[in-house]
Amino acid sequence: MKFNAPRGTNDILPPEIEKWQYIEEITHKLFKNYNYQEIRTPIFEYTELFQRGIGEVTDIVEKEMYTFEDKSGRSITLRPEGTASVIRSFLENKIYGQAQPTKYYYIGPMFRYERPQSGRFRQFHQLGVEAIASNDPALDAEIISLGIRLLEKFGLEDFELHLNSVGCKSCRPKYMEKLKTFLTKNKAELCDKCKERIERNPLRVLDCKNQSCQAVIKDAPKITEHLCEECELHFSEVQSFLDVLNIEYIINPLLVRGLDYYTHTAFEIKDNALGAQNTVFGGGRYNGLAEEIGNRDIPGIGFALGIERLLLSLQAKEINIVEAEGIDLYITVIGEKAKKEAFRLLDILRKEEFKTEIDYLDRSVGSQMKSADRMNAEYTIIIGENELNNNSATIRNMKSGNEAEIKLSNLLKEMKQRVDKGEK
RNA sequence: GUGGAUGUAGCUCAGUUGGCUAGAGCGCAGGAUUGUGGCUCCUGAGGCCGUGGGUUCAAGCCCCAUCAUCCACCCCA
C-alpha cells in the first residue's frame, strides 16, 4: 500500500463505529438530562488562544500542538483540548449577558503531537462538559458525578476518583515558594528532569514516577495543607456534596494537572485495568481562564473524557455495549426477469422501513442464501420464474426454515405482521 | 524527543544451522444440491516474506539502513 493514515490516527470502521454511535447517543441523552447543551466550536483556533489559555510552559503548548501557518500567515493550531475554545466562544458570543450559569457539552476530535501508545493518539476524541459562571462547589460535585454516571451507564463501576485542590491565585504562589524551597534543599536526590522543574514548574515534580524523587516528595509540603481559607472551604464543600451523592474519592495532594488554568478542584478518574495511560476522564475548576483570554472574571468547571480510553476500559472488562444487528429481509433473485420485479419490491419494502438487502454480485441462489444468513436476515424473500408466473413471492423464515408462497398484493401486510422492525 | 519489541495471505500465526514451485487454521469465492443458508466434504483465488541496499553459489532466515505498528518513558484524555 502506498498510503497509511498519518501516525497516531485511526480509521473507525464498522462494526466498531456502532459503539461510537451508541456512546454518543447515551451521552447526548444523559447530558441533556443534566441540562447541559451541546456546543460545537471550530477544530482549529488561533494559536495564541491555546498559548494564553493552557499556559506557555505546559507540555501541550511547548511540544504537543499541531501548529501551522495558514495562507495569510496567521498561526493556526488544531485544538488540543476543548475548554479554551468553549470559553472563547462564551466570551465572543457574549453569553455572559444571558441568565447564568451556562452549561455546555461537546464531543469531537482533539489533536496532540505525541508518540502514540496504548490509550494515546495524535487524533483522539473527547467528550466534555463545561459549567460556566458559577463558583458553587455543588457544581463541582455535579460535574464529577455526571462523568461517573456516564461511566455507569456503560456498566463501568470499577475505577478510582482522585481529588485534589490546587489552590487559587492567592494561595498557590505561596505554596509554590514553599515547595521550591523544599525541593531546592533536596535537589541532590532528584532526577535531572525534576532539577530543571524546580524553577520552571515545581508542581510537576509531584507526579514524577522516579523512585528517588518519590522518596523526596513523600515529605514535601502538601498543597492541601497550604490552602487559603476560601480554597479550604470550597474544597471541603465539594467533598461534602460528593458525600451526599455517595461518591467515593481519594484525596490525592500529588494530583497536579498539565494545564495551567486549573484552580481549586482538580480530579481524575483512573481505571487501573488500563495500563500506563489510565485516566479515563479528568478536569477541574478554571476560575482564571476567562480572565486570561478575555479579561473577564468568570469562573468555570468542567471535565473531558477520552472516548478511546472509555472504549479500552470497556474492552478490558469485556463489556459489550452493542449487539450485532441483523437485517429484516433479504431478497433472493433467480433469473434476470425476476431481478426487475425484485428491485421494485426492494424499494417498496425500504419505503416501509424494512431493513432490506439484495444481491449485487450475480450470485447463485445458494450463495444468496448464504449472504442472507451472514447478514442475519430474519426472512428471505425469494423471487424466481415460478413466483413471477404466480404473481407471488416465497418467503422463508431463516430461523425455522419454514416457507410460504405469498401473493405480491398481500406481501407488505404479511411482512408487517411477521417482522418486528427495528427490534432492540 | 528517548528506549524496547514486532513486521510472512483479508485475519491469527508456522517456517529447522541460509538450500527446490513459501505453509496452516480461520475468513473469502465456487461446487457437491440445474431454485434454498447454517453442518459436512471437495476445489479455488489470494504473497514483491514492510521497503532499499549488502554478504553468499543460494536470503523469509545473516548484516546495514529506512519506514510502519505496538509497548514504555515524558505527559495526559
PDB file of all heavy atoms in Angstrom, chain B residues 56-68:
ATOM      1  P     U B  56      30.443 -11.940  -0.978  1.00  0.00           P
ATOM      2  OP1   U B  56      31.889 -12.265  -0.992  1.00  0.00           O
ATOM      3  OP2   U B  56      29.863 -11.066  -2.028  1.00  0.00           O
ATOM      4  O5'   U B  56      29.624 -13.304  -0.952  1.00  0.00           O
ATOM      5  C5'   U B  56      29.910 -14.301   0.022  1.00  0.00           C
ATOM      6  C4'   U B  56      28.858 -15.382  -0.036  1.00  0.00           C
ATOM      7  O4'   U B  56      27.573 -14.827   0.368  1.00  0.00           O
ATOM      8  C3'   U B  56      28.584 -15.956  -1.416  1.00  0.00           C
ATOM      9  O3'   U B  56      29.553 -16.929  -1.781  1.00  0.00           O
ATOM     10  C2'   U B  56      27.193 -16.545  -1.231  1.00  0.00           C
ATOM     11  O2'   U B  56      27.248 -17.790  -0.567  1.00  0.00           O
ATOM     12  C1'   U B  56      26.538 -15.508  -0.296  1.00  0.00           C
ATOM     13  N1    U B  56      25.715 -14.529  -1.046  1.00  0.00           N
ATOM     14  C2    U B  56      24.363 -14.809  -1.181  1.00  0.00           C
ATOM     15  O2    U B  56      23.853 -15.802  -0.715  1.00  0.00           O
ATOM     16  N3    U B  56      23.644 -13.876  -1.892  1.00  0.00           N
ATOM     17  C4    U B  56      24.116 -12.719  -2.463  1.00  0.00           C
ATOM     18  O4    U B  56      23.353 -11.991  -3.065  1.00  0.00           O
ATOM     19  C5    U B  56      25.528 -12.497  -2.274  1.00  0.00           C
ATOM     20  C6    U B  56      26.263 -13.393  -1.585  1.00  0.00           C
ATOM     21  P     C B  57      30.091 -16.908  -3.308  1.00  0.00           P
ATOM     22  OP1   C B  57      31.228 -17.856  -3.347  1.00  0.00           O
ATOM     23  OP2   C B  57      30.269 -15.510  -3.770  1.00  0.00           O
ATOM     24  O5'   C B  57      28.877 -17.537  -4.123  1.00  0.00           O
ATOM     25  C5'   C B  57      28.856 -17.463  -5.542  1.00  0.00           C
ATOM     26  C4'   C B  57      27.695 -18.254  -6.082  1.00  0.00           C
ATOM     27  O4'   C B  57      27.901 -19.670  -5.786  1.00  0.00           O
ATOM     28  C3'   C B  57      26.355 -17.951  -5.431  1.00  0.00           C
ATOM     29  O3'   C B  57      25.722 -16.830  -6.025  1.00  0.00           O
ATOM     30  C2'   C B  57      25.572 -19.238  -5.656  1.00  0.00           C
ATOM     31  O2'   C B  57      25.070 -19.322  -6.980  1.00  0.00           O
ATOM     32  C1'   C B  57      26.672 -20.292  -5.487  1.00  0.00           C
ATOM     33  N1    C B  57      26.742 -20.805  -4.096  1.00  0.00           N
ATOM     34  C2    C B  57      25.738 -21.681  -3.645  1.00  0.00           C
ATOM     35  O2    C B  57      24.815 -21.961  -4.408  1.00  0.00           O
ATOM     36  N3    C B  57      25.807 -22.167  -2.388  1.00  0.00           N
ATOM     37  C4    C B  57      26.829 -21.832  -1.599  1.00  0.00           C
ATOM     38  N4    C B  57      26.852 -22.339  -0.374  1.00  0.00           N
ATOM     39  C5    C B  57      27.862 -20.955  -2.028  1.00  0.00           C
ATOM     40  C6    C B  57      27.784 -20.482  -3.273  1.00  0.00           C
ATOM     41  P     A B  58      24.968 -15.759  -5.106  1.00  0.00           P
ATOM     42  OP1   A B  58      24.394 -14.712  -5.980  1.00  0.00           O
ATOM     43  OP2   A B  58      25.906 -15.394  -4.029  1.00  0.00           O
ATOM     44  O5'   A B  58      23.776 -16.610  -4.490  1.00  0.00           O
ATOM     45  C5'   A B  58      22.711 -17.058  -5.323  1.00  0.00           C
ATOM     46  C4'   A B  58      21.776 -17.945  -4.545  1.00  0.00           C
ATOM     47  O4'   A B  58      22.499 -19.100  -4.056  1.00  0.00           O
ATOM     48  C3'   A B  58      21.196 -17.323  -3.285  1.00  0.00           C
ATOM     49  O3'   A B  58      20.082 -16.511  -3.578  1.00  0.00           O
ATOM     50  C2'   A B  58      20.813 -18.551  -2.473  1.00  0.00           C
ATOM     51  O2'   A B  58      19.593 -19.105  -2.910  1.00  0.00           O
ATOM     52  C1'   A B  58      21.950 -19.512  -2.823  1.00  0.00           C
ATOM     53  N9    A B  58      23.022 -19.517  -1.816  1.00  0.00           N
ATOM     54  C8    A B  58      24.241 -18.892  -1.877  1.00  0.00           C
ATOM     55  N7    A B  58      24.994 -19.092  -0.820  1.00  0.00           N
ATOM     56  C5    A B  58      24.203 -19.885   0.000  1.00  0.00           C
ATOM     57  C6    A B  58      24.426 -20.441   1.265  1.00  0.00           C
ATOM     58  N6    A B  58      25.548 -20.273   1.958  1.00  0.00           N
ATOM     59  N1    A B  58      23.448 -21.188   1.808  1.00  0.00           N
ATOM     60  C2    A B  58      22.318 -21.361   1.106  1.00  0.00           C
ATOM     61  N3    A B  58      21.988 -20.894  -0.102  1.00  0.00           N
ATOM     62  C4    A B  58      22.986 -20.163  -0.603  1.00  0.00           C
ATOM     63  P     A B  59      19.766 -15.232  -2.664  1.00  0.00           P
ATOM     64  OP1   A B  59      18.614 -14.519  -3.236  1.00  0.00           O
ATOM     65  OP2   A B  59      21.044 -14.529  -2.497  1.00  0.00           O
ATOM     66  O5'   A B  59      19.383 -15.858  -1.255  1.00  0.00           O
ATOM     67  C5'   A B  59      18.215 -16.685  -1.111  1.00  0.00           C
ATOM     68  C4'   A B  59      17.433 -16.248   0.119  1.00  0.00           C
ATOM     69  O4'   A B  59      18.351 -16.215   1.243  1.00  0.00           O
ATOM     70  C3'   A B  59      16.846 -14.842   0.029  1.00  0.00           C
ATOM     71  O3'   A B  59      15.649 -14.788   0.796  1.00  0.00           O
ATOM     72  C2'   A B  59      17.904 -13.970   0.666  1.00  0.00           C
ATOM     73  O2'   A B  59      17.393 -12.799   1.200  1.00  0.00           O
ATOM     74  C1'   A B  59      18.394 -14.894   1.774  1.00  0.00           C
ATOM     75  N9    A B  59      19.759 -14.640   2.236  1.00  0.00           N
ATOM     76  C8    A B  59      20.725 -13.882   1.639  1.00  0.00           C
ATOM     77  N7    A B  59      21.851 -13.827   2.312  1.00  0.00           N
ATOM     78  C5    A B  59      21.600 -14.613   3.420  1.00  0.00           C
ATOM     79  C6    A B  59      22.392 -14.969   4.527  1.00  0.00           C
ATOM     80  N6    A B  59      23.652 -14.567   4.698  1.00  0.00           N
ATOM     81  N1    A B  59      21.836 -15.765   5.460  1.00  0.00           N
ATOM     82  C2    A B  59      20.587 -16.173   5.290  1.00  0.00           C
ATOM     83  N3    A B  59      19.738 -15.914   4.286  1.00  0.00           N
ATOM     84  C4    A B  59      20.317 -15.120   3.390  1.00  0.00           C
ATOM     85  P     G B  60      14.249 -15.184   0.116  1.00  0.00           P
ATOM     86  OP1   G B  60      14.219 -16.638  -0.175  1.00  0.00           O
ATOM     87  OP2   G B  60      14.028 -14.221  -1.001  1.00  0.00           O
ATOM     88  O5'   G B  60      13.204 -14.867   1.252  1.00  0.00           O
ATOM     89  C5'   G B  60      12.973 -13.516   1.661  1.00  0.00           C
ATOM     90  C4'   G B  60      12.486 -13.478   3.086  1.00  0.00           C
ATOM     91  O4'   G B  60      11.521 -14.546   3.258  1.00  0.00           O
ATOM     92  C3'   G B  60      13.573 -13.774   4.122  1.00  0.00           C
ATOM     93  O3'   G B  60      14.227 -12.592   4.491  1.00  0.00           O
ATOM     94  C2'   G B  60      12.773 -14.367   5.274  1.00  0.00           C
ATOM     95  O2'   G B  60      12.171 -13.345   6.055  1.00  0.00           O
ATOM     96  C1'   G B  60      11.659 -15.130   4.529  1.00  0.00           C
ATOM     97  N9    G B  60      11.954 -16.556   4.368  1.00  0.00           N
ATOM     98  C8    G B  60      12.197 -17.216   3.196  1.00  0.00           C
ATOM     99  N7    G B  60      12.416 -18.509   3.362  1.00  0.00           N
ATOM    100  C5    G B  60      12.303 -18.691   4.734  1.00  0.00           C
ATOM    101  C6    G B  60      12.429 -19.869   5.511  1.00  0.00           C
ATOM    102  O6    G B  60      12.682 -21.025   5.139  1.00  0.00           O
ATOM    103  N1    G B  60      12.249 -19.613   6.864  1.00  0.00           N
ATOM    104  C2    G B  60      11.965 -18.372   7.399  1.00  0.00           C
ATOM    105  N2    G B  60      11.838 -18.331   8.713  1.00  0.00           N
ATOM    106  N3    G B  60      11.837 -17.261   6.678  1.00  0.00           N
ATOM    107  C4    G B  60      12.013 -17.500   5.370  1.00  0.00           C
ATOM    108  P     C B  61      15.779 -12.597   4.701  1.00  0.00           P
ATOM    109  OP1   C B  61      16.154 -11.216   5.030  1.00  0.00           O
ATOM    110  OP2   C B  61      16.414 -13.298   3.565  1.00  0.00           O
ATOM    111  O5'   C B  61      15.980 -13.500   5.990  1.00  0.00           O
ATOM    112  C5'   C B  61      15.366 -13.171   7.236  1.00  0.00           C
ATOM    113  C4'   C B  61      15.592 -14.301   8.222  1.00  0.00           C
ATOM    114  O4'   C B  61      15.087 -15.539   7.640  1.00  0.00           O
ATOM    115  C3'   C B  61      17.058 -14.543   8.554  1.00  0.00           C
ATOM    116  O3'   C B  61      17.193 -14.826   9.937  1.00  0.00           O
ATOM    117  C2'   C B  61      17.427 -15.759   7.710  1.00  0.00           C
ATOM    118  O2'   C B  61      18.424 -16.557   8.305  1.00  0.00           O
ATOM    119  C1'   C B  61      16.091 -16.516   7.670  1.00  0.00           C
ATOM    120  N1    C B  61      15.963 -17.355   6.472  1.00  0.00           N
ATOM    121  C2    C B  61      15.821 -18.744   6.632  1.00  0.00           C
ATOM    122  O2    C B  61      15.775 -19.226   7.778  1.00  0.00           O
ATOM    123  N3    C B  61      15.710 -19.524   5.534  1.00  0.00           N
ATOM    124  C4    C B  61      15.756 -18.979   4.315  1.00  0.00           C
ATOM    125  N4    C B  61      15.655 -19.785   3.267  1.00  0.00           N
ATOM    126  C5    C B  61      15.919 -17.575   4.134  1.00  0.00           C
ATOM    127  C6    C B  61      16.018 -16.808   5.237  1.00  0.00           C
ATOM    128  P     C B  62      17.786 -13.713  10.872  1.00  0.00           P
ATOM    129  OP1   C B  62      17.818 -14.251  12.255  1.00  0.00           O
ATOM    130  OP2   C B  62      17.068 -12.458  10.591  1.00  0.00           O
ATOM    131  O5'   C B  62      19.274 -13.554  10.333  1.00  0.00           O
ATOM    132  C5'   C B  62      20.341 -14.323  10.881  1.00  0.00           C
ATOM    133  C4'   C B  62      21.662 -13.803  10.383  1.00  0.00           C
ATOM    134  O4'   C B  62      21.851 -14.219   8.994  1.00  0.00           O
ATOM    135  C3'   C B  62      21.773 -12.282  10.313  1.00  0.00           C
ATOM    136  O3'   C B  62      22.115 -11.730  11.580  1.00  0.00           O
ATOM    137  C2'   C B  62      22.853 -12.070   9.268  1.00  0.00           C
ATOM    138  O2'   C B  62      24.131 -12.288   9.808  1.00  0.00           O
ATOM    139  C1'   C B  62      22.531 -13.198   8.280  1.00  0.00           C
ATOM    140  N1    C B  62      21.668 -12.756   7.151  1.00  0.00           N
ATOM    141  C2    C B  62      22.208 -11.896   6.187  1.00  0.00           C
ATOM    142  O2    C B  62      23.382 -11.511   6.304  1.00  0.00           O
ATOM    143  N3    C B  62      21.438 -11.500   5.151  1.00  0.00           N
ATOM    144  C4    C B  62      20.179 -11.938   5.052  1.00  0.00           C
ATOM    145  N4    C B  62      19.463 -11.529   4.006  1.00  0.00           N
ATOM    146  C5    C B  62      19.615 -12.815   6.015  1.00  0.00           C
ATOM    147  C6    C B  62      20.381 -13.198   7.039  1.00  0.00           C
ATOM    148  P     C B  63      21.656 -10.281  11.973  1.00  0.00           P
ATOM    149  OP1   C B  63      21.993 -10.089  13.400  1.00  0.00           O
ATOM    150  OP2   C B  63      20.262 -10.106  11.499  1.00  0.00           O
ATOM    151  O5'   C B  63      22.601  -9.352  11.084  1.00  0.00           O
ATOM    152  C5'   C B  63      24.016  -9.309  11.327  1.00  0.00           C
ATOM    153  C4'   C B  63      24.648  -8.287  10.407  1.00  0.00           C
ATOM    154  O4'   C B  63      24.531  -8.747   9.024  1.00  0.00           O
ATOM    155  C3'   C B  63      23.973  -6.924  10.393  1.00  0.00           C
ATOM    156  O3'   C B  63      24.409  -6.113  11.457  1.00  0.00           O
ATOM    157  C2'   C B  63      24.375  -6.375   9.024  1.00  0.00           C
ATOM    158  O2'   C B  63      25.698  -5.875   9.040  1.00  0.00           O
ATOM    159  C1'   C B  63      24.329  -7.643   8.169  1.00  0.00           C
ATOM    160  N1    C B  63      23.035  -7.807   7.468  1.00  0.00           N
ATOM    161  C2    C B  63      22.794  -7.051   6.308  1.00  0.00           C
ATOM    162  O2    C B  63      23.661  -6.251   5.926  1.00  0.00           O
ATOM    163  N3    C B  63      21.622  -7.209   5.652  1.00  0.00           N
ATOM    164  C4    C B  63      20.716  -8.082   6.108  1.00  0.00           C
ATOM    165  N4    C B  63      19.579  -8.198   5.420  1.00  0.00           N
ATOM    166  C5    C B  63      20.932  -8.850   7.277  1.00  0.00           C
ATOM    167  C6    C B  63      22.092  -8.688   7.920  1.00  0.00           C
ATOM    168  P     C B  64      23.384  -5.009  12.073  1.00  0.00           P
ATOM    169  OP1   C B  64      24.030  -4.467  13.297  1.00  0.00           O
ATOM    170  OP2   C B  64      22.027  -5.580  12.130  1.00  0.00           O
ATOM    171  O5'   C B  64      23.397  -3.877  10.950  1.00  0.00           O
ATOM    172  C5'   C B  64      24.592  -3.160  10.658  1.00  0.00           C
ATOM    173  C4'   C B  64      24.375  -2.227   9.492  1.00  0.00           C
ATOM    174  O4'   C B  64      24.076  -3.005   8.289  1.00  0.00           O
ATOM    175  C3'   C B  64      23.170  -1.298   9.609  1.00  0.00           C
ATOM    176  O3'   C B  64      23.435  -0.176  10.422  1.00  0.00           O
ATOM    177  C2'   C B  64      22.919  -0.933   8.145  1.00  0.00           C
ATOM    178  O2'   C B  64      23.849   0.038   7.699  1.00  0.00           O
ATOM    179  C1'   C B  64      23.205  -2.254   7.450  1.00  0.00           C
ATOM    180  N1    C B  64      21.972  -3.037   7.208  1.00  0.00           N
ATOM    181  C2    C B  64      21.176  -2.693   6.105  1.00  0.00           C
ATOM    182  O2    C B  64      21.534  -1.750   5.390  1.00  0.00           O
ATOM    183  N3    C B  64      20.041  -3.390   5.863  1.00  0.00           N
ATOM    184  C4    C B  64      19.694  -4.392   6.669  1.00  0.00           C
ATOM    185  N4    C B  64      18.569  -5.053   6.380  1.00  0.00           N
ATOM    186  C5    C B  64      20.474  -4.762   7.804  1.00  0.00           C
ATOM    187  C6    C B  64      21.600  -4.063   8.032  1.00  0.00           C
ATOM    188  P     A B  65      22.190   0.532  11.207  1.00  0.00           P
ATOM    189  OP1   A B  65      22.768   1.576  12.076  1.00  0.00           O
ATOM    190  OP2   A B  65      21.331  -0.527  11.786  1.00  0.00           O
ATOM    191  O5'   A B  65      21.380   1.237  10.023  1.00  0.00           O
ATOM    192  C5'   A B  65      21.966   2.325   9.311  1.00  0.00           C
ATOM    193  C4'   A B  65      21.155   2.641   8.078  1.00  0.00           C
ATOM    194  O4'   A B  65      20.993   1.438   7.283  1.00  0.00           O
ATOM    195  C3'   A B  65      19.725   3.101   8.333  1.00  0.00           C
ATOM    196  O3'   A B  65      19.653   4.466   8.687  1.00  0.00           O
ATOM    197  C2'   A B  65      19.072   2.808   6.984  1.00  0.00           C
ATOM    198  O2'   A B  65      19.403   3.794   6.024  1.00  0.00           O
ATOM    199  C1'   A B  65      19.748   1.492   6.600  1.00  0.00           C
ATOM    200  N9    A B  65      18.942   0.325   6.982  1.00  0.00           N
ATOM    201  C8    A B  65      19.131  -0.559   8.024  1.00  0.00           C
ATOM    202  N7    A B  65      18.223  -1.507   8.079  1.00  0.00           N
ATOM    203  C5    A B  65      17.380  -1.238   7.011  1.00  0.00           C
ATOM    204  C6    A B  65      16.229  -1.878   6.528  1.00  0.00           C
ATOM    205  N6    A B  65      15.700  -2.962   7.069  1.00  0.00           N
ATOM    206  N1    A B  65      15.620  -1.349   5.434  1.00  0.00           N
ATOM    207  C2    A B  65      16.150  -0.251   4.883  1.00  0.00           C
ATOM    208  N3    A B  65      17.239   0.446   5.244  1.00  0.00           N
ATOM    209  C4    A B  65      17.810  -0.111   6.325  1.00  0.00           C
ATOM    210  P     U B  66      18.482   4.978   9.636  1.00  0.00           P
ATOM    211  OP1   U B  66      18.737   6.411   9.895  1.00  0.00           O
ATOM    212  OP2   U B  66      18.350   4.035  10.773  1.00  0.00           O
ATOM    213  O5'   U B  66      17.183   4.851   8.720  1.00  0.00           O
ATOM    214  C5'   U B  66      17.053   5.642   7.537  1.00  0.00           C
ATOM    215  C4'   U B  66      15.876   5.163   6.724  1.00  0.00           C
ATOM    216  O4'   U B  66      16.079   3.770   6.362  1.00  0.00           O
ATOM    217  C3'   U B  66      14.549   5.151   7.463  1.00  0.00           C
ATOM    218  O3'   U B  66      13.921   6.421   7.481  1.00  0.00           O
ATOM    219  C2'   U B  66      13.750   4.124   6.660  1.00  0.00           C
ATOM    220  O2'   U B  66      13.276   4.670   5.452  1.00  0.00           O
ATOM    221  C1'   U B  66      14.836   3.098   6.335  1.00  0.00           C
ATOM    222  N1    U B  66      14.869   1.993   7.308  1.00  0.00           N
ATOM    223  C2    U B  66      13.928   0.982   7.150  1.00  0.00           C
ATOM    224  O2    U B  66      13.101   0.986   6.262  1.00  0.00           O
ATOM    225  N3    U B  66      13.994  -0.030   8.078  1.00  0.00           N
ATOM    226  C4    U B  66      14.889  -0.133   9.124  1.00  0.00           C
ATOM    227  O4    U B  66      14.823  -1.110   9.869  1.00  0.00           O
ATOM    228  C5    U B  66      15.825   0.949   9.222  1.00  0.00           C
ATOM    229  C6    U B  66      15.776   1.945   8.329  1.00  0.00           C
ATOM    230  P     C B  67      12.980   6.792   8.725  1.00  0.00           P
ATOM    231  OP1   C B  67      12.785   8.257   8.676  1.00  0.00           O
ATOM    232  OP2   C B  67      13.517   6.154   9.948  1.00  0.00           O
ATOM    233  O5'   C B  67      11.609   6.078   8.356  1.00  0.00           O
ATOM    234  C5'   C B  67      10.914   6.424   7.164  1.00  0.00           C
ATOM    235  C4'   C B  67       9.836   5.416   6.875  1.00  0.00           C
ATOM    236  O4'   C B  67      10.441   4.107   6.654  1.00  0.00           O
ATOM    237  C3'   C B  67       8.853   5.154   8.007  1.00  0.00           C
ATOM    238  O3'   C B  67       7.847   6.136   8.087  1.00  0.00           O
ATOM    239  C2'   C B  67       8.292   3.793   7.615  1.00  0.00           C
ATOM    240  O2'   C B  67       7.377   3.904   6.538  1.00  0.00           O
ATOM    241  C1'   C B  67       9.557   3.093   7.108  1.00  0.00           C
ATOM    242  N1    C B  67      10.222   2.314   8.168  1.00  0.00           N
ATOM    243  C2    C B  67       9.713   1.041   8.469  1.00  0.00           C
ATOM    244  O2    C B  67       8.724   0.628   7.837  1.00  0.00           O
ATOM    245  N3    C B  67      10.304   0.293   9.433  1.00  0.00           N
ATOM    246  C4    C B  67      11.356   0.784  10.082  1.00  0.00           C
ATOM    247  N4    C B  67      11.901   0.005  11.024  1.00  0.00           N
ATOM    248  C5    C B  67      11.894   2.068   9.807  1.00  0.00           C
ATOM    249  C6    C B  67      11.298   2.798   8.849  1.00  0.00           C
ATOM    250  P     A B  68       7.133   6.430   9.489  1.00  0.00           P
ATOM    251  OP1   A B  68       6.254   7.593   9.300  1.00  0.00           O
ATOM    252  OP2   A B  68       8.163   6.432  10.547  1.00  0.00           O
ATOM    253  O5'   A B  68       6.233   5.134   9.697  1.00  0.00           O
ATOM    254  C5'   A B  68       5.160   4.850   8.810  1.00  0.00           C
ATOM    255  C4'   A B  68       4.593   3.486   9.111  1.00  0.00           C
ATOM    256  O4'   A B  68       5.613   2.476   8.926  1.00  0.00           O
ATOM    257  C3'   A B  68       4.131   3.276  10.545  1.00  0.00           C
ATOM    258  O3'   A B  68       2.859   3.827  10.778  1.00  0.00           O
ATOM    259  C2'   A B  68       4.152   1.756  10.645  1.00  0.00           C
ATOM    260  O2'   A B  68       3.046   1.186   9.981  1.00  0.00           O
ATOM    261  C1'   A B  68       5.414   1.421   9.845  1.00  0.00           C
ATOM    262  N9    A B  68       6.601   1.298  10.704  1.00  0.00           N
ATOM    263  C8    A B  68       7.599   2.215  10.910  1.00  0.00           C
ATOM    264  N7    A B  68       8.532   1.803  11.722  1.00  0.00           N
ATOM    265  C5    A B  68       8.130   0.526  12.083  1.00  0.00           C
ATOM    266  C6    A B  68       8.689  -0.450  12.925  1.00  0.00           C
ATOM    267  N6    A B  68       9.836  -0.285  13.591  1.00  0.00           N
ATOM    268  N1    A B  68       8.030  -1.625  13.064  1.00  0.00           N
ATOM    269  C2    A B  68       6.878  -1.789  12.408  1.00  0.00           C
ATOM    270  N3    A B  68       6.248  -0.946  11.579  1.00  0.00           N
ATOM    271  C4    A B  68       6.943   0.198  11.461  1.00  0.00           C
TER     272        A B  68
END
